[in-house]
Amino acid sequence: MTHEARTALQDLDTADLKQELSRALNAAHLLVGNMKSELAERKLSPADQYVRHGFAWYAAYVETLAATFLWMEELEASGRLGRLERLIGIALFGDYLTQLAHGIAMSQDEVIRPERLGSTEAMTAYLATESVQACRQSSTADLAKEIVDLCADQGAYGNQGLDETFAMIADQFHAFVDENVSEHAQSWHLENQLIPDGLVRQLADLGVFGLTISEDFGGTGLGKLAMCIVTEELSRGYIGVGSLGTRSEIAGELIQIGGTEEQKAKYLPAIASGEILPVAVFTEPNTGSDLASLRTRAEKIDGRYKITGNKTWITHAGRSDLMTLLVRTNPDEPGHRGLTMLLAEKQRGTDEEPFPTPGMSGGEIHVLGYRGMKEYEIAFDGFEVPINAALGGEEGQGFRQLMQTFEAARIQTAARAMGVAVNAMEVSFAYAQDRVQFGKPIIENERIYGKLARMVVEIMGVRQLTYAAARKKDQGGRCDVEAGMAKLLAARLAWSAADNGLQIHGGNGYSLEFPISRILCDARILNIFEGAAEMQAEIIARGLLPKI
């Protein structure tokens, strides 16, 4: 292709565009593959975190491009690849391919440069690839402006690529959120209110708590992709609402995979119907991500477990009925071998008395955002559960059982992050269209429409990465790396969208009156819970690089 043709990639016919994107994607795969080979030869140690984690980011970018390319192919095959979708794909390729060449921001002030990852010759070949050059040269301000104009004209941000069934689910929950959630979210946040019981009941009636529970046990069995779609829509309204299903997802997965038949029959239908609201009780004050070192003790006394210890950062602990409680049943077994997962029933509490159950006490942890369910510290002092509460009737399997659920939990968290990012994008679009300065709406300014275009583009790309992880999980494949990538990128995206959205709002964004102030607070936690960004990068690196 000539230089002039490469600068107008968006004007190619679909066949030529696909060919260019495919060649650029192959070049990116080759670049990361060469980096992987060189890093393997360097025999990195666990202490080489910056390089290991940087490689994880590079690999995640390429997987996002691959998922986006597949999305475009599937849209074309079904006759749904419109001008907006084409431009989104071109813009994402241009942006990500440029970052692969010059460096990726792992956080606000940590940029991994390609030279840290080696492969100088591979980078030279990558930069010389004409299709890579074409994509990079096409990512211009004019492209961003057209994307924003198309979004404004269409009142939408691109076709998500869902089939008819999943599109109907998305539409149903989109309408539900607009009618029942969005207008209340700010007051729930500002007043630190629990999400109303009536709304919880509505969500239960819609099947939110049984999306991935088998139909044999009262769920809908729709799988992880449906869970992603519903979670994103609910989180678009308010992250607290989108997170209500997380604990049911974790408990349902634990019991479906590892429970006895009696445990499945007793708990799964009640979780699916919303009769039982479960809560995940894992983290301790001094453990964080190091769950294998937890100390909460369960001793067998008179045919029951008597539990002593402390847990912290337990979401929705007061208004719950069943704890998936990770404890140490064998103090003589080091690390994870002595851990057991208990299905521990408790009394549902209230704001005034969150823990009325004998042997339990605790209080609320006041937080910046992610409200609506509340965070708690819990102290166990002689709290008792029956011996048959051990998940699967086995001791010592708790850590293994929990690890089996982390893939799904991280996919779901990626979907929550997507919802927060979409919320930031929507309120920022509306504000930029309405806010007039110097005689014109601020959306006409390059620094404003550029921010909005980047939100549109990256949201679609990371959404497709998240869908890809969910589909792989639904097909029975292991997806710890893909789930980690989705969570890693989605959490950063939620923060950048919220931060840029607040910047678009200017001083008004810093006011509690405007939802973007809440969205920013909600977005920040996503880089921490369900595995901090650093832990996600480490998981990806362990999955892709040779064992140390």
Side-chain angles (χ1 to χ4, degrees):
M1 296 176 64
T2 67
H3 174 76
E4 291 75 16
R6 291 201 302 270
T7 62
L9 196 64
Q10 54 268 41
D11 295 326
L12 293 176
D13 63 36
T14 300
D16 286 342
L17 174 61
K18 284 173 54 181
Q19 187 176 64
E20 290 297 304
L21 296 182
S22 178
R23 288 170 176 168
L25 179 59
N26 288 338
H29 274 301
L30 185 60
L31 174 66
V32 170
N34 279 308
M35 288 177 172
K36 179 178 179 179
S37 297
E38 289 203 18
L39 293 178
E41 291 178 5
R42 285 160 61 177
K43 298 180 180 179
L44 300 174
S45 76
D48 296 312
Q49 288 187 338
Y50 206 90
V51 173
R52 288 168 56 80
H53 295 182
F55 174 75
W57 278 94
Y58 265 72
Y61 265 44
V62 176
E63 286 304 309
T64 304
L65 293 177
T68 302
F69 183 76
L70 180 60
W71 163 73
M72 296 179 72
E73 283 196 310
E74 291 176 344
L75 285 180
E76 186 211 357
S78 60
R80 295 180 291 166
L81 183 65
R83 177 73 175 174
L84 176 57
E85 290 75 26
R86 285 167 54 95
L87 297 185
I88 288 172
I90 292 167
L92 185 71
F93 266 72
D95 184 25
Y96 272 26
L97 293 173
T98 298
Q99 291 186 57
L100 291 177
H102 298 294
I104 296 173
M106 298 190 292
S107 69
Q108 288 91 330
D109 57 2
E110 293 176 293
V111 178
I112 180 66
R113 304 293 182 187
E115 52 266 27
R116 293 288 297 272
L117 303 176
S119 294
T120 302
E121 292 182 6
M123 179 57 74
T124 300
Y126 169 79
L127 293 173
T129 303
E130 288 193 353
S131 296
V132 171
Q133 295 173 5
C135 291
R136 294 178 62 195
Q137 291 167 4
S138 293
S139 189
T140 63
D142 288 343
L143 180 64
K145 183 66 166 62
E146 187 175 357
I147 288 171
V148 168
D149 286 346
L150 285 169
C151 289
D153 291 343
Q154 297 177 14
Y157 306 97
N159 192 309
Q160 297 179 21
L162 301 171
D163 66 21
E164 185 177 356
T165 299
F166 287 127
M168 287 178 59
I169 292 172
D171 290 344
Q172 177 189 14
F173 279 92
H174 190 95
F176 176 83
V177 165
D178 285 348
E179 183 176 346
N180 299 282
V181 178
S182 297
E183 64 179 301
H184 305 294
Q186 194 72 356
S187 63
W188 292 336
H189 167 78
L190 293 176
E191 297 170 22
N192 192 28
Q193 293 180 346
L194 285 170
I195 294 161
D197 287 329
L199 182 61
V200 176
R201 185 69 259 161
Q202 285 179 284
L203 294 173
D205 291 342
L206 288 169
V208 169
F209 304 127
L211 283 169
T212 61
I213 292 176
S214 167
E215 292 181 272
D216 294 338
F217 294 104
T220 59
L222 288 173
K224 308 305 180 186
L225 180 57
M227 176 264 292
C228 281
I229 294 164
V230 171
T231 298
E232 180 184 323
E233 286 297 342
L234 294 177
S235 299
R236 180 183 67 86
Y238 185 35
I239 191 175
V241 176
S243 298
L244 275 170
T246 307
R247 272 126 289 280
S248 297
E249 171 72 22
I250 293 171
E253 183 110 347
L254 280 168
I255 295 168
Q256 284 191 115
I257 293 175
T260 64
E261 291 306 312
E262 291 77 13
Q263 289 169 341
K264 293 176 184 178
K266 179 179 181 180
Y267 291 118
L268 290 177
I271 291 171
S273 69
E275 177 188 348
I276 284 179
L277 296 180
V279 57
V281 185
F282 309 142
T283 306
E284 295 187 0
N286 295 314
T287 60
S289 298
D290 185 15
L291 291 176
S293 67
L294 66 78
R295 301 170 62 183
T296 295
R297 181 82 173 91
E299 296 181 272
K300 286 182 181 177
I301 299 176
D302 298 328
R304 297 177 69 81
Y305 286 115
K306 184 167 286 190
I307 298 164
T308 305
N310 298 286
K311 298 288 186 177
T312 192
W313 294 112
I314 309 304
T315 306
H316 212 202
R319 189 174 56 180
S320 62
D321 313 287
L322 176 70
M323 296 181 286
T324 49
L325 176 59
L326 192 61
V327 296
R328 187 167 296 281
T329 50
N330 188 343
D332 298 325
E333 283 282 2
H336 61 80
R337 295 184 182 87
L339 300 181
T340 298
M341 186 70 70
L342 301 180
L343 302 176
E345 298 179 23
K346 60 178 280 293
Q347 294 174 248
R348 187 176 296 198
T350 64
D351 268 352
E352 295 74 25
E353 189 178 8
F355 302 110
T357 308
M360 290 183 67
S361 61
E364 182 181 353
I365 302 171
H366 294 279
V367 291
L368 293 171
Y370 190 51
R371 298 173 180 176
M373 294 180 294
K374 301 194 177 184
E375 305 293 324
Y376 295 92
E377 297 175 317
I378 304 176
F380 295 99
D381 186 9
F383 173 74
E384 295 185 359
V385 296
I387 292 297
N388 64 4
L391 181 64
E394 292 184 86
E395 291 188 355
Q397 299 300 310
F399 189 81
R400 179 188 61 81
Q401 291 164 337
L402 182 58
M403 291 302 103
Q404 291 178 307
T405 72
F406 269 9
E407 291 178 356
R410 285 168 178 156
I411 295 170
Q412 206 251 12
T413 300
R416 284 187 279 173
M418 296 305 306
V420 172
V422 172
N423 196 189
M425 176 179 64
E426 289 180 342
V427 300
S428 300
F429 250 94
Y431 186 86
Q433 288 170 312
D434 293 341
R435 177 71 165 172
V436 175
Q437 292 282 277
F438 305 105
K440 63 180 181 181
I442 64 172
I443 199 170
E444 297 297 323
N445 297 318
E446 183 181 348
R447 292 293 302 280
I448 302 299
Y449 69 69
K451 290 179 174 66
L452 293 171
R454 283 193 293 276
M455 292 182 203
V456 173
V457 168
E458 194 167 20
I459 283 171
M460 187 60 79
V462 178
R463 177 186 287 127
Q464 298 309 317
L465 178 68
T466 304
Y467 285 176
R471 289 186 177 107
K472 187 171 182 180
K473 185 70 174 175
D474 282 337
Q475 293 164 2
R478 181 175 176 178
C479 64
D480 52 340
V481 169
E482 293 84 354
M485 288 177 172
K487 200 272 183 184
L488 182 71
L489 266 64
R492 188 193 64 175
L493 172 58
W495 175 252
S496 66
D499 189 43
N500 280 319
L502 194 145
Q503 189 71 20
I504 289 169
H505 281 71
N508 285 335
Y510 208 61
S511 164
L512 296 178
E513 176 185 351
F514 284 80
I516 193 65
S517 64
R518 163 182 54 84
I519 297 168
L520 186 76
C521 291
D522 290 343
R524 188 60 188 88
I525 191 61
L526 288 157
N527 250 321
I528 298 173
F529 67 15
E530 296 295 347
E534 293 79 5
M535 287 300 301
Q536 296 305 314
E538 181 62 25
I539 290 167
I540 297 165
R542 288 177 185 173
L544 296 179
L545 294 173
K547 298 293 184 289
I548 299 169

